[in-house]
Short mmCIF file of all heavy atoms in Angstrom, two decimals:
data_model
loop_
_atom_site.label_atom_id
_atom_site.label_comp_id
_atom_site.label_asym_id
_atom_site.label_seq_id
_atom_site.Cartn_x
_atom_site.Cartn_y
_atom_site.Cartn_z
N ALA R 151 8.62 5.37 12.43
CA ALA R 151 10.01 4.97 12.21
C ALA R 151 10.97 6.06 12.69
O ALA R 151 11.95 5.78 13.40
CB ALA R 151 10.26 4.63 10.74
N VAL R 152 10.66 7.30 12.36
CA VAL R 152 11.52 8.41 12.77
C VAL R 152 11.54 8.54 14.27
O VAL R 152 12.61 8.70 14.90
CB VAL R 152 11.09 9.75 12.09
CG1 VAL R 152 11.91 10.91 12.65
CG2 VAL R 152 11.25 9.68 10.58
N ALA R 153 10.37 8.42 14.91
CA ALA R 153 10.30 8.61 16.36
C ALA R 153 11.09 7.50 17.07
O ALA R 153 11.80 7.76 18.05
CB ALA R 153 8.85 8.57 16.82
N ALA R 154 11.00 6.27 16.55
CA ALA R 154 11.73 5.16 17.17
C ALA R 154 13.23 5.40 17.09
O ALA R 154 13.98 5.17 18.05
CB ALA R 154 11.36 3.85 16.49
N VAL R 155 13.69 5.89 15.95
CA VAL R 155 15.13 6.17 15.79
C VAL R 155 15.54 7.37 16.62
O VAL R 155 16.61 7.38 17.26
CB VAL R 155 15.48 6.39 14.28
CG1 VAL R 155 16.89 6.89 14.12
CG2 VAL R 155 15.29 5.09 13.52
N ARG R 156 14.65 8.37 16.70
CA ARG R 156 14.96 9.55 17.52
C ARG R 156 15.20 9.18 18.99
O ARG R 156 16.07 9.75 19.65
CB ARG R 156 13.78 10.56 17.37
CG ARG R 156 13.94 11.91 18.01
CD ARG R 156 14.98 12.80 17.36
NE ARG R 156 16.35 12.32 17.49
CZ ARG R 156 17.40 12.79 16.79
NH1 ARG R 156 17.22 13.73 15.92
NH2 ARG R 156 18.59 12.32 17.00
N THR R 157 14.41 8.20 19.47
CA THR R 157 14.57 7.74 20.84
C THR R 157 15.90 7.00 21.01
O THR R 157 16.50 7.02 22.07
CB THR R 157 13.41 6.81 21.23
OG1 THR R 157 12.21 7.43 20.83
CG2 THR R 157 13.38 6.53 22.71
N ALA R 158 16.33 6.34 19.93
CA ALA R 158 17.52 5.48 20.05
C ALA R 158 18.85 6.23 19.88
O ALA R 158 19.89 5.67 20.16
CB ALA R 158 17.42 4.38 18.97
N THR R 159 18.81 7.47 19.36
CA THR R 159 20.08 8.16 19.09
C THR R 159 19.96 9.67 19.22
O THR R 159 18.87 10.22 19.02
CB THR R 159 20.58 7.83 17.66
OG1 THR R 159 21.80 8.52 17.42
CG2 THR R 159 19.56 8.22 16.59
N ASP R 160 21.10 10.32 19.50
CA ASP R 160 21.11 11.80 19.51
C ASP R 160 21.74 12.33 18.22
O ASP R 160 21.86 13.54 18.06
CB ASP R 160 21.96 12.30 20.71
CG ASP R 160 21.26 12.01 22.03
OD1 ASP R 160 20.03 12.02 22.02
OD2 ASP R 160 21.96 11.78 23.03
N LEU R 161 22.13 11.45 17.33
CA LEU R 161 22.78 11.89 16.08
C LEU R 161 21.79 12.69 15.24
O LEU R 161 20.58 12.45 15.29
CB LEU R 161 23.24 10.68 15.27
CG LEU R 161 24.47 9.91 15.80
CD1 LEU R 161 24.60 8.58 15.11
CD2 LEU R 161 25.72 10.76 15.61
N PRO R 162 22.31 13.65 14.42
CA PRO R 162 21.42 14.32 13.47
C PRO R 162 20.72 13.28 12.59
O PRO R 162 21.35 12.28 12.17
CB PRO R 162 22.39 15.19 12.62
CG PRO R 162 23.61 15.34 13.44
CD PRO R 162 23.71 14.13 14.31
N LEU R 163 19.45 13.51 12.32
CA LEU R 163 18.64 12.47 11.66
C LEU R 163 18.03 13.05 10.37
O LEU R 163 17.24 14.00 10.42
CB LEU R 163 17.53 12.14 12.64
CG LEU R 163 16.86 10.81 12.50
CD1 LEU R 163 17.87 9.71 12.54
CD2 LEU R 163 15.87 10.66 13.67
N ILE R 164 18.39 12.44 9.25
CA ILE R 164 17.85 12.88 7.95
C ILE R 164 16.79 11.85 7.51
O ILE R 164 17.10 10.66 7.46
CB ILE R 164 18.96 12.92 6.90
CG1 ILE R 164 20.09 13.85 7.35
CG2 ILE R 164 18.40 13.37 5.54
CD1 ILE R 164 21.40 13.64 6.59
N ALA R 165 15.57 12.30 7.24
CA ALA R 165 14.53 11.37 6.73
C ALA R 165 14.57 11.41 5.23
O ALA R 165 14.38 12.47 4.63
CB ALA R 165 13.17 11.80 7.27
N LYS R 166 14.84 10.25 4.59
CA LYS R 166 14.86 10.20 3.12
C LYS R 166 13.52 9.71 2.61
O LYS R 166 13.13 8.57 2.85
CB LYS R 166 16.01 9.29 2.65
CG LYS R 166 16.08 9.25 1.12
CD LYS R 166 17.32 8.53 0.67
CE LYS R 166 17.41 8.48 -0.84
NZ LYS R 166 18.56 7.70 -1.29
N LEU R 167 12.85 10.59 1.88
CA LEU R 167 11.45 10.32 1.53
C LEU R 167 11.32 9.58 0.19
O LEU R 167 12.14 9.71 -0.74
CB LEU R 167 10.69 11.63 1.44
CG LEU R 167 10.70 12.49 2.69
CD1 LEU R 167 9.72 13.64 2.55
CD2 LEU R 167 10.36 11.68 3.95
N SER R 168 10.22 8.86 0.07
CA SER R 168 9.87 8.16 -1.15
C SER R 168 9.02 9.09 -2.02
O SER R 168 8.17 9.80 -1.52
CB SER R 168 9.04 6.93 -0.78
OG SER R 168 8.39 6.43 -1.96
N PRO R 169 9.23 9.07 -3.34
CA PRO R 169 8.41 9.91 -4.25
C PRO R 169 7.10 9.21 -4.61
O PRO R 169 6.27 9.81 -5.33
CB PRO R 169 9.31 10.02 -5.46
CG PRO R 169 10.04 8.70 -5.53
CD PRO R 169 10.24 8.30 -4.08
N ASN R 170 6.90 7.96 -4.14
CA ASN R 170 5.77 7.17 -4.64
C ASN R 170 4.50 7.46 -3.86
O ASN R 170 3.86 6.56 -3.30
CB ASN R 170 6.15 5.68 -4.59
CG ASN R 170 7.39 5.42 -5.40
OD1 ASN R 170 7.52 5.88 -6.55
ND2 ASN R 170 8.37 4.72 -4.82
N VAL R 171 4.18 8.75 -3.78
CA VAL R 171 3.05 9.21 -2.97
C VAL R 171 2.29 10.30 -3.73
O VAL R 171 2.87 10.93 -4.61
CB VAL R 171 3.56 9.82 -1.63
CG1 VAL R 171 4.22 8.76 -0.80
CG2 VAL R 171 4.50 10.96 -1.85
N GLY R 172 1.05 10.49 -3.36
CA GLY R 172 0.29 11.58 -3.98
C GLY R 172 0.74 12.92 -3.45
O GLY R 172 1.11 13.82 -4.23
N ASP R 173 0.76 13.06 -2.14
CA ASP R 173 1.13 14.35 -1.53
C ASP R 173 2.27 14.09 -0.54
O ASP R 173 2.08 13.45 0.50
CB ASP R 173 -0.08 14.95 -0.81
CG ASP R 173 0.21 16.35 -0.29
OD1 ASP R 173 1.35 16.83 -0.47
OD2 ASP R 173 -0.71 16.95 0.29
N ILE R 174 3.42 14.61 -0.84
CA ILE R 174 4.61 14.35 0.01
C ILE R 174 4.61 15.23 1.26
O ILE R 174 5.29 14.91 2.24
CB ILE R 174 5.89 14.52 -0.83
CG1 ILE R 174 7.02 13.67 -0.24
CG2 ILE R 174 6.28 15.98 -0.97
CD1 ILE R 174 8.17 13.42 -1.20
N VAL R 175 3.86 16.32 1.24
CA VAL R 175 3.94 17.31 2.33
C VAL R 175 3.59 16.71 3.71
O VAL R 175 4.38 16.84 4.65
CB VAL R 175 3.15 18.57 2.01
CG1 VAL R 175 2.97 19.45 3.26
CG2 VAL R 175 3.83 19.35 0.89
#
Side-chain angles (χ1 to χ4, degrees):
V152 173
V155 170
R156 186 68 294 167
T157 312
T159 179
D160 291 329
L161 287 167
L163 204 55
I164 304 162
K166 181 171 181 184
L167 303 188
S168 164
N170 303 313
V171 296
D173 186 359
I174 205 162
V175 167

